[in-house]
Every structure is written in structure tokens, then in C-alpha cells.
Coordinates of all heavy atoms in Angstrom, one line a residue:
M274 N 98.9 89.5 113.7 CA 99.1 89.0 112.4 C 100.6 88.6 112.3 O 101.5 89.4 112.7 CB 98.7 89.9 111.4 CG 99.1 89.5 110.0 SD 98.3 90.4 108.7 CE 96.7 89.7 108.8
T275 N 101.0 87.5 111.6 CA 102.3 87.2 111.4 C 102.7 87.6 109.9 O 101.8 87.9 109.1 CB 102.6 85.7 111.6 OG1 101.9 85.0 110.5 CG2 102.1 85.2 112.9
F276 N 104.0 87.5 109.7 CA 104.5 87.8 108.3 C 103.9 86.9 107.3 O 103.4 87.3 106.3 CB 106.1 87.7 108.4 CG 106.7 87.8 107.1 CD1 107.0 89.0 106.5 CD2 107.1 86.7 106.3 CE1 107.6 89.2 105.2 CE2 107.7 86.8 105.0 CZ 108.0 88.1 104.6
N277 N 103.9 85.6 107.7 CA 103.3 84.6 106.8 C 101.8 84.8 106.5 O 101.4 84.6 105.4 CB 103.6 83.2 107.2 CG 105.1 82.8 107.1 OD1 105.8 83.3 106.2 ND2 105.6 81.9 108.0
E278 N 101.1 85.1 107.5 CA 99.7 85.4 107.4 C 99.5 86.6 106.5 O 98.6 86.6 105.6 CB 99.0 85.7 108.7 CG 98.9 84.5 109.6 CD 98.5 84.8 111.0 OE1 98.7 85.9 111.5 OE2 97.9 83.8 111.6
F279 N 100.3 87.7 106.6 CA 100.2 88.8 105.7 C 100.5 88.5 104.3 O 99.8 88.9 103.4 CB 101.2 89.9 106.3 CG 101.1 91.2 105.4 CD1 100.2 92.2 105.7 CD2 102.0 91.4 104.3 CE1 100.2 93.3 105.0 CE2 102.0 92.6 103.6 CZ 101.0 93.5 103.9
Q280 N 101.5 87.7 104.1 CA 101.8 87.2 102.7 C 100.7 86.5 102.0 O 100.6 86.4 100.7 CB 103.1 86.3 102.7 CG 104.3 87.1 103.1 CD 104.8 88.1 102.1 OE1 104.2 89.2 102.0 NE2 105.9 87.8 101.5
Q281 N 99.8 85.8 102.8 CA 98.7 85.0 102.2 C 97.5 85.9 101.8 O 96.6 85.4 101.1 CB 98.3 84.0 103.2 CG 99.4 82.9 103.5 CD 99.8 82.2 102.3 OE1 99.1 81.7 101.5 NE2 101.2 82.2 102.1
L282 N 97.5 87.1 102.2 CA 96.4 88.0 101.9 C 96.4 88.5 100.5 O 97.5 88.5 99.8 CB 96.4 89.3 102.8 CG 96.3 89.0 104.3 CD1 96.5 90.4 105.0 CD2 95.0 88.4 104.7
S283 N 95.3 88.9 99.9 CA 95.1 89.5 98.6 C 95.7 90.9 98.7 O 95.9 91.4 99.8 CB 93.7 89.6 98.2 OG 93.0 90.5 99.0
D284 N 96.0 91.6 97.6 CA 96.6 92.9 97.6 C 95.7 93.9 98.4 O 96.1 94.7 99.1 CB 96.8 93.4 96.1 CG 98.0 92.6 95.5 OD1 98.9 92.1 96.2 OD2 98.1 92.8 94.2
N285 N 94.4 93.8 98.1 CA 93.4 94.7 98.8 C 93.4 94.4 100.3 O 93.3 95.4 101.1 CB 92.0 94.5 98.2 CG 91.9 95.1 96.9 OD1 92.6 96.0 96.4 ND2 90.8 94.6 96.1
E286 N 93.4 93.2 100.7 CA 93.6 92.9 102.1 C 94.9 93.3 102.8 O 94.9 93.9 103.9 CB 93.4 91.4 102.4 CG 92.0 90.8 102.1 CD 92.0 89.3 102.1 OE1 92.9 88.7 101.6 OE2 90.9 88.8 102.4
K287 N 95.9 93.3 102.0 CA 97.2 93.8 102.5 C 97.2 95.3 102.7 O 97.6 95.8 103.8 CB 98.3 93.5 101.5 CG 98.8 92.0 101.5 CD 99.8 91.8 100.6 CE 100.3 90.3 100.5 NZ 101.3 90.0 99.5
A288 N 96.6 96.0 101.7 CA 96.5 97.4 101.9 C 95.6 97.8 103.1 O 95.9 98.7 103.8 CB 95.9 98.0 100.6
D289 N 94.5 97.1 103.3 CA 93.6 97.3 104.4 C 94.3 97.1 105.7 O 94.2 97.9 106.6 CB 92.4 96.4 104.2 CG 91.3 96.8 105.2 OD1 91.0 98.0 105.3 OD2 90.8 95.9 105.9
C290 N 95.1 96.0 105.8 CA 95.8 95.7 106.9 C 96.8 96.8 107.3 O 97.0 97.2 108.5 CB 96.5 94.3 106.8 SG 97.5 93.9 108.2
L291 N 97.5 97.3 106.2 CA 98.4 98.3 106.4 C 97.8 99.6 107.0 O 98.4 100.2 107.9 CB 99.2 98.6 105.0 CG 100.3 99.6 105.1 CD1 101.5 99.0 105.8 CD2 100.7 99.9 103.6
W292 N 96.7 100.0 106.5 CA 96.0 101.2 107.0 C 95.5 101.0 108.4 O 95.6 101.9 109.2 CB 94.8 101.5 106.1 CG 95.2 101.9 104.8 CD1 94.8 101.4 103.6 CD2 96.1 103.0 104.4 NE1 95.4 102.0 102.5 CE2 96.3 102.9 102.9 CE3 96.9 103.9 105.1 CZ2 97.0 103.8 102.2 CZ3 97.8 104.7 104.4 CH2 97.8 104.7 103.0
K293 N 95.1 99.8 108.8 CA 94.5 99.5 110.1 C 95.6 99.3 111.1 O 95.5 99.7 112.3 CB 93.6 98.4 110.1 CG 92.3 98.8 109.3 CD 91.3 97.6 109.3 CE 90.0 97.9 108.6 NZ 89.2 96.8 108.5
K294 N 96.7 98.6 110.8 CA 97.6 98.1 111.8 C 99.0 98.6 111.6 O 99.9 98.4 112.4 CB 97.7 96.6 111.7 CG 96.3 96.0 112.1 CD 96.4 94.4 112.1 CE 95.0 93.9 112.4 NZ 95.0 92.5 112.7
G295 N 99.3 99.4 110.5 CA 100.7 99.8 110.2 C 100.9 101.1 110.9 O 100.2 102.1 111.0
S296 N 102.2 101.3 111.4 CA 102.7 102.5 111.9 C 103.9 103.0 111.0 O 104.8 102.2 110.8 CB 103.3 102.3 113.3 OG 102.3 101.8 114.2
P297 N 103.8 104.2 110.5 CA 104.9 104.7 109.5 C 106.2 104.9 110.4 O 106.2 105.4 111.4 CB 104.4 105.9 109.1 CG 103.3 106.4 110.0 CD 102.8 105.2 110.6
V298 N 107.3 104.3 109.8 CA 108.6 104.4 110.5 C 109.7 104.9 109.6 O 110.9 105.1 110.0 CB 109.1 103.1 111.1 CG1 108.1 102.7 112.2 CG2 109.1 101.9 110.0
G299 N 109.5 105.1 108.3 CA 110.5 105.6 107.4 C 110.0 105.9 106.0 O 108.8 105.5 105.7
S300 N 110.7 106.7 105.2 CA 110.3 107.0 103.9 C 111.5 107.4 103.0 O 112.6 107.7 103.6 CB 109.3 108.1 103.9 OG 109.9 109.3 104.3
H301 N 111.4 107.3 101.8 CA 112.4 107.8 100.8 C 111.7 108.0 99.5 O 110.6 107.5 99.2 CB 113.6 106.9 100.7 CG 113.4 105.6 100.0 ND1 112.9 104.6 100.5 CD2 113.7 105.3 98.7 CE1 112.8 103.6 99.7 NE2 113.3 104.0 98.6
N302 N 112.3 108.8 98.6 CA 111.8 109.1 97.3 C 112.8 108.6 96.3 O 114.0 108.6 96.4 CB 111.6 110.6 97.1 CG 110.7 111.2 98.0 OD1 109.7 110.6 98.5 ND2 110.8 112.5 98.4
R303 N 112.2 108.2 95.1 CA 113.0 107.8 94.0 C 112.3 108.2 92.7 O 111.2 107.7 92.5 CB 113.2 106.3 94.0 CG 114.6 105.8 94.3 CD 114.8 104.3 94.0 NE 114.4 103.6 95.3 CZ 113.9 102.3 95.2 NH1 113.9 101.6 94.2 NH2 113.6 101.8 96.4
E304 N 112.9 109.0 92.0 CA 112.4 109.4 90.7 C 110.9 109.7 90.8 O 110.5 110.7 91.4 CB 112.7 108.4 89.5 CG 114.2 108.3 89.3 CD 114.5 107.2 88.3 OE1 113.6 106.9 87.5 OE2 115.7 106.8 88.3
Q305 N 110.1 109.0 90.1 CA 108.7 109.3 90.1 C 107.8 108.6 91.2 O 106.6 108.4 91.0 CB 108.1 108.9 88.7 CG 108.7 109.6 87.6 CD 108.4 111.1 87.7 OE1 107.3 111.5 88.0 NE2 109.4 112.0 87.3
A306 N 108.5 108.0 92.2 CA 107.7 107.3 93.2 C 108.2 107.7 94.6 O 109.3 108.2 94.8 CB 107.9 105.8 93.0
K307 N 107.3 107.5 95.6 CA 107.5 107.8 97.0 C 107.3 106.4 97.6 O 106.4 105.7 97.4 CB 106.6 108.8 97.5 CG 106.8 110.1 96.9 CD 106.0 111.2 97.5 CE 106.2 112.5 96.8 NZ 106.4 113.6 97.6
F308 N 108.1 106.1 98.7 CA 108.1 104.9 99.4 C 108.0 105.2 100.9 O 108.6 106.1 101.4 CB 109.4 104.1 99.2 CG 109.6 103.7 97.8 CD1 110.2 104.6 96.9 CD2 109.3 102.4 97.4 CE1 110.4 104.2 95.5 CE2 109.5 102.0 96.0 CZ 110.0 102.9 95.2
M309 N 107.1 104.5 101.5 CA 106.8 104.6 103.0 C 107.0 103.2 103.5 O 106.5 102.3 103.0 CB 105.4 105.1 103.3 CG 105.1 106.5 102.9 SD 105.9 107.7 104.0 CE 105.2 107.4 105.5
L310 N 107.7 103.2 104.7 CA 108.0 101.9 105.4 C 107.0 102.0 106.7 O 107.0 102.9 107.4 CB 109.4 101.7 105.8 CG 109.8 100.4 106.5 CD1 109.6 99.3 105.4 CD2 111.2 100.5 107.0
Y311 N 106.3 100.9 106.8 CA 105.4 100.7 108.0 C 105.8 99.5 108.8 O 106.2 98.4 108.3 CB 104.0 100.6 107.5 CG 103.4 101.7 106.7 CD1 103.6 101.8 105.3 CD2 102.7 102.7 107.3 CE1 103.1 102.8 104.6 CE2 102.2 103.8 106.6 CZ 102.4 103.8 105.2 OH 101.9 104.9 104.5
Q312 N 105.7 99.6 110.2 CA 105.8 98.4 110.9 C 104.4 97.9 111.1 O 103.5 98.6 111.5 CB 106.4 98.7 112.2 CG 106.6 97.5 113.1 CD 107.4 97.7 114.4 OE1 107.5 98.9 114.9 NE2 107.8 96.6 115.1
V313 N 104.2 96.6 110.9 CA 103.0 95.8 111.2 C 103.3 94.7 112.0 O 104.1 93.8 111.6 CB 102.3 95.4 109.9 CG1 101.1 94.6 110.2 CG2 102.1 96.6 108.9
A314 N 103.0 94.7 113.3 CA 103.4 93.6 114.2 C 104.9 93.6 114.3 O 105.6 94.5 114.6 CB 102.7 92.3 113.9
D315 N 105.5 92.4 114.0 CA 106.9 92.2 114.1 C 107.6 92.1 112.8 O 108.6 91.6 112.5 CB 107.3 90.9 114.9 CG 106.8 89.7 114.3 OD1 106.0 89.7 113.3 OD2 107.3 88.6 114.6
F316 N 107.0 92.7 111.7 CA 107.6 92.8 110.3 C 107.2 94.1 109.8 O 106.6 95.0 110.4 CB 107.0 91.7 109.5 CG 105.5 91.7 109.2 CD1 105.0 92.3 108.1 CD2 104.7 91.1 110.1 CE1 103.6 92.3 107.9 CE2 103.3 91.1 109.9 CZ 102.7 91.7 108.8
Y317 N 107.8 94.4 108.6 CA 107.7 95.8 108.0 C 107.1 95.6 106.5 O 107.3 94.5 105.9 CB 109.1 96.4 107.9 CG 109.7 96.7 109.2 CD1 110.4 95.7 109.9 CD2 109.4 97.9 109.8 CE1 110.9 96.0 111.1 CE2 110.0 98.2 111.1 CZ 110.7 97.3 111.7 OH 111.2 97.5 112.9
V318 N 106.4 96.6 106.1 CA 105.8 96.6 104.8 C 106.2 98.0 104.1 O 106.0 99.0 104.7 CB 104.3 96.5 104.9 CG1 103.7 96.6 103.4 CG2 103.8 95.2 105.5
E319 N 106.8 97.8 103.0 CA 107.1 99.1 102.1 C 106.0 99.2 101.1 O 105.6 98.3 100.3 CB 108.5 98.8 101.4 CG 108.8 100.0 100.6 CD 110.2 99.7 99.8 OE1 110.2 98.7 99.0 OE2 111.1 100.4 100.0
A320 N 105.4 100.4 101.1 CA 104.4 100.8 100.2 C 105.1 101.8 99.1 O 105.6 102.8 99.5 CB 103.2 101.4 100.8
E321 N 104.9 101.5 97.9 CA 105.4 102.4 96.8 C 104.1 103.2 96.3 O 103.1 102.5 96.0 CB 106.0 101.7 95.7 CG 106.4 102.6 94.5 CD 106.9 101.8 93.4 OE1 107.3 100.6 93.5 OE2 107.0 102.4 92.2
Y322 N 104.2 104.5 96.4 CA 103.0 105.3 95.9 C 103.4 106.1 94.7 O 104.6 106.4 94.5 CB 102.7 106.3 97.1 CG 102.2 105.8 98.3 CD1 103.1 105.4 99.3 CD2 100.9 105.6 98.6 CE1 102.6 105.0 100.5 CE2 100.4 105.2 99.7 CZ 101.2 104.8 100.8 OH 100.8 104.3 101.9
K323 N 102.4 106.4 93.9 CA 102.5 107.4 92.9 C 103.0 108.7 93.6 O 102.7 108.9 94.8 CB 101.3 107.7 92.1 CG 101.0 106.5 91.2 CD 99.8 106.8 90.3 CE 99.5 105.8 89.4 NZ 98.3 106.1 88.5
T324 N 103.6 109.6 92.9 CA 104.1 110.8 93.6 C 103.1 111.7 94.3 O 103.4 112.4 95.2 CB 104.9 111.7 92.6 OG1 104.1 112.0 91.5 CG2 106.2 111.0 92.2
D325 N 101.8 111.6 93.9 CA 100.8 112.3 94.5 C 100.1 111.6 95.7 O 99.2 112.1 96.3 CB 99.7 112.8 93.6 CG 99.1 111.7 92.8 OD1 99.4 110.5 93.2 OD2 98.2 111.9 91.9
F326 N 100.6 110.4 96.0 CA 100.1 109.6 97.2 C 98.6 109.2 96.9 O 97.9 108.9 97.9 CB 100.2 110.3 98.6 CG 101.6 110.2 99.1 CD1 102.5 111.3 98.9 CD2 102.0 109.2 99.8 CE1 103.7 111.3 99.4 CE2 103.3 109.1 100.3 CZ 104.2 110.1 100.2
T327 N 98.1 109.2 95.7 CA 96.7 108.8 95.5 C 96.5 107.3 95.3 O 95.4 106.8 95.3 CB 96.1 109.6 94.3 OG1 96.9 109.3 93.2 CG2 96.1 111.0 94.6
E328 N 97.6 106.6 95.0 CA 97.5 105.2 94.6 C 98.7 104.4 95.1 O 99.8 104.8 94.8 CB 97.3 105.1 93.1 CG 97.0 103.7 92.7 CD 96.8 103.6 91.2 OE1 96.4 104.6 90.6 OE2 97.1 102.5 90.6
I329 N 98.5 103.3 95.7 CA 99.6 102.4 96.0 C 99.9 101.6 94.8 O 99.0 101.0 94.2 CB 99.2 101.4 97.1 CG1 99.0 102.2 98.4 CG2 100.3 100.3 97.3 CD1 98.6 101.3 99.6
V330 N 101.1 101.6 94.4 CA 101.6 100.9 93.2 C 102.1 99.4 93.6 O 101.8 98.5 92.8 CB 102.8 101.6 92.6 CG1 103.3 100.9 91.3 CG2 102.3 103.0 92.1
M331 N 102.7 99.3 94.8 CA 103.3 98.0 95.2 C 103.4 98.0 96.7 O 103.6 99.0 97.3 CB 104.6 97.9 94.6 CG 105.5 96.7 94.8 SD 106.5 96.7 96.3 CE 107.5 98.1 96.2
L332 N 103.2 96.8 97.2 CA 103.4 96.5 98.7 C 104.4 95.3 98.8 O 104.3 94.4 98.1 CB 102.2 96.1 99.4 CG 101.1 97.2 99.6 CD1 99.9 96.6 100.1 CD2 101.6 98.3 100.5
K333 N 105.4 95.5 99.6 CA 106.4 94.4 99.8 C 106.7 94.3 101.3 O 107.0 95.2 101.9 CB 107.7 94.7 99.0 CG 108.7 93.6 99.2 CD 109.8 93.8 98.3 CE 110.7 92.5 98.5 NZ 111.8 92.3 97.5
A334 N 106.5 93.1 101.8 CA 106.7 92.8 103.2 C 108.1 92.3 103.4 O 108.8 91.6 102.6 CB 105.7 91.8 103.7
Y335 N 108.7 92.7 104.5 CA 110.1 92.3 105.0 C 110.1 91.8 106.4 O 109.4 92.5 107.3 CB 111.1 93.5 105.0 CG 111.3 94.1 103.6 CD1 110.6 95.2 103.1 CD2 112.2 93.5 102.7 CE1 110.8 95.8 101.9 CE2 112.5 94.1 101.5 CZ 111.8 95.2 101.0 OH 112.1 95.8 99.8
E336 N 110.7 90.8 106.7 CA 111.1 90.5 108.0 C 112.3 91.3 108.4 O 113.0 91.8 107.5 CB 111.4 88.9 108.2 CG 110.2 88.2 108.0 CD 110.4 86.7 108.2 OE1 111.1 86.1 107.4 OE2 109.9 86.1 109.2
I337 N 112.6 91.7 109.7 CA 113.6 92.5 110.0 C 115.0 92.2 109.5 O 115.8 92.9 109.1 CB 113.8 92.7 111.5 CG1 114.6 93.8 111.9 CG2 114.1 91.5 112.3 CD1 114.2 95.2 111.5
S338 N 115.3 90.8 109.4 CA 116.5 90.4 108.9 C 116.7 90.7 107.4 O 117.8 90.7 106.9 CB 116.8 88.9 109.2 OG 115.7 88.2 108.6
D339 N 115.6 90.9 106.7 CA 115.7 91.1 105.2 C 115.5 92.6 104.9 O 115.5 92.9 103.6 CB 114.6 90.3 104.5 CG 114.8 88.8 104.7 OD1 116.1 88.4 104.7 OD2 113.9 88.1 104.7
L340 N 115.3 93.5 105.9 CA 115.0 94.9 105.5 C 116.2 95.5 104.9 O 117.3 95.3 105.3 CB 114.7 95.6 106.9 CG 114.1 96.9 106.9 CD1 112.7 96.9 106.2 CD2 114.0 97.5 108.2
P341 N 116.0 96.3 103.7 CA 117.1 96.9 103.1 C 117.9 97.8 104.1 O 117.3 98.5 104.9 CB 116.4 97.7 102.0 CG 115.2 97.0 101.8 CD 114.7 96.5 103.1
G342 N 119.2 97.7 104.0 CA 120.0 98.5 104.9 C 119.8 99.9 105.0 O 119.9 100.5 106.1
F343 N 119.5 100.6 103.9 CA 119.3 102.1 104.0 C 118.1 102.5 104.9 O 118.0 103.6 105.4 CB 119.1 102.6 102.6 CG 117.9 102.3 101.9 CD1 116.6 102.9 102.0 CD2 118.0 101.2 100.9 CE1 115.6 102.4 101.3 CE2 117.0 100.8 100.2 CZ 115.7 101.4 100.4
Y344 N 117.1 101.6 105.1 CA 116.0 101.8 106.0 C 116.5 101.8 107.5 O 116.0 102.5 108.4 CB 114.9 100.9 105.9 CG 114.0 101.2 104.8 CD1 113.6 100.3 103.8 CD2 113.3 102.4 104.9 CE1 112.7 100.6 102.8 CE2 112.4 102.7 103.8 CZ 112.1 101.8 102.8 OH 111.2 102.1 101.9
L345 N 117.5 101.0 107.8 CA 117.8 100.8 109.3 C 118.3 102.1 109.9 O 118.0 102.3 111.1 CB 118.9 99.7 109.4 CG 118.5 98.3 108.9 CD1 119.7 97.4 109.0 CD2 117.4 97.8 109.7
D346 N 119.0 102.9 109.2 CA 119.4 104.3 109.8 C 118.2 105.2 109.8 O 118.3 106.3 110.5 CB 120.5 104.8 109.0 CG 121.8 104.1 109.2 OD1 121.9 103.3 110.2 OD2 122.6 104.1 108.2
R347 N 117.2 105.0 109.0 CA 116.1 106.0 108.8 C 114.9 105.7 109.7 O 114.0 106.5 109.9 CB 115.6 106.0 107.4 CG 116.7 106.5 106.5 CD 116.2 106.4 105.0 NE 117.3 106.8 104.2 CZ 117.1 107.1 102.9 NH1 115.9 107.0 102.4 NH2 118.1 107.5 102.2
I348 N 114.8 104.4 110.3 CA 113.6 104.0 111.1 C 113.5 104.9 112.3 O 114.5 104.9 113.1 CB 113.6 102.5 111.4 CG1 113.5 101.8 110.1 CG2 112.5 102.2 112.4 CD1 113.6 100.2 110.3
N349 N 112.4 105.5 112.5 CA 112.1 106.3 113.7 C 111.1 105.5 114.5 O 110.0 105.4 114.2 CB 111.5 107.7 113.3 CG 111.2 108.5 114.5 OD1 111.4 108.1 115.6 ND2 110.7 109.7 114.3
I350 N 111.6 105.0 115.6 CA 110.8 104.2 116.5 C 110.3 104.9 117.8 O 109.6 104.3 118.5 CB 111.5 102.9 116.9 CG1 112.7 103.1 117.7 CG2 111.7 101.9 115.6 CD1 113.3 102.0 118.3
S351 N 110.6 106.2 117.8 CA 110.3 106.9 119.1 C 108.8 107.0 119.3 O 108.4 107.0 120.5 CB 110.9 108.4 118.9 OG 110.3 109.0 117.9
G352 N 107.9 107.0 118.3 CA 106.5 107.1 118.6 C 105.8 105.8 118.6 O 104.6 105.7 118.9
L353 N 106.5 104.7 118.6 CA 105.8 103.3 118.6 C 105.7 102.9 120.0 O 106.5 103.1 120.8 CB 106.7 102.3 117.8 CG 106.8 102.6 116.2 CD1 107.7 101.6 115.7 CD2 105.4 102.6 115.6
P354 N 104.6 102.1 120.3 CA 104.5 101.6 121.6 C 105.6 100.5 121.9 O 105.9 99.8 120.9 CB 103.1 101.0 121.6 CG 102.7 100.9 120.2 CD 103.5 101.8 119.4
H355 N 106.0 100.3 123.1 CA 107.0 99.4 123.4 C 106.3 98.1 124.1 O 105.4 98.1 124.7 CB 108.0 99.9 124.4 CG 108.8 101.0 123.8 ND1 109.8 100.9 122.9 CD2 108.6 102.4 123.7 CE1 110.3 102.0 122.5 NE2 109.5 102.9 123.0

């Protein structure tokens, strides 16, 4: 799947794709939300969760060149296939 194909999916299809194809590579917390960054193919998806992780509030896809800088130091790629 490409970044553009992912962007064309509905919110439910994006969440399904994230669960099936995403590999967690980073996270951070902000006030009342938790954020997880996943790698999906050659792009990344940030999922914002309610603090209890029961519901996704928002999904945002990034190409590597647009990834927020604070993630770059936090991405753990040691467990990803090469």
C-alpha cells in the first residue's frame, strides 16, 4: 500500500489497515491523549488515542520527509524487518 492509497481510505479502513499492517515505532503523551506512531509500508501513521486506549480519536499519515522532528529521535526500528 502506498501513502496516497492510504489517504484515499475511509477512517474505518485506515484503522483496519493500521492494525493489520502497522508496526509500532514510537509514542508520546500529551495532556489527555496518547499518541502512537506506526510504520505502514514506506510511510508512517500517528494514532491519537483516548488515555485509556479504548478509542482512536485521530489518524494522521506522514511521509518520512514530513514526519515531526521529535519522532525522529524516538523511532525504534530494531524490531522491524529489513
Side-chain angles (χ1 to χ4, degrees):
M274 169 166 289
T275 68
F276 176 82
N277 290 330
E278 290 170 335
F279 182 83
Q280 293 291 73
Q281 298 301 313
L282 299 175
S283 70
D284 289 343
N285 287 338
E286 291 170 325
K287 286 178 182 178
D289 189 49
C290 177
L291 186 64
W292 295 123
K293 290 179 180 176
K294 298 180 181 189
S296 298
V298 294
S300 66
H301 73 280
N302 299 332
R303 250 189 274 155
E304 298 177 20
Q305 298 297 320
K307 296 184 183 223
F308 296 82
M309 292 287 299
L310 184 70
Y311 298 87
Q312 182 176 14
V313 180
D315 64 346
F316 61 94
Y317 295 87
V318 177
E319 180 183 58
E321 178 184 345
Y322 294 91
K323 289 186 175 181
T324 54
D325 59 5
F326 281 98
T327 59
E328 184 180 335
I329 294 175
V330 177
M331 180 270 311
L332 291 173
K333 182 167 182 171
Y335 296 96
E336 293 181 293
I337 189 67
S338 60
D339 297 325
L340 196 61
F343 63 87
Y344 274 125
L345 297 177
D346 293 334
R347 297 178 184 190
I348 295 175
N349 178 1
I350 61 169
S351 62
L353 296 177
H355 297 275

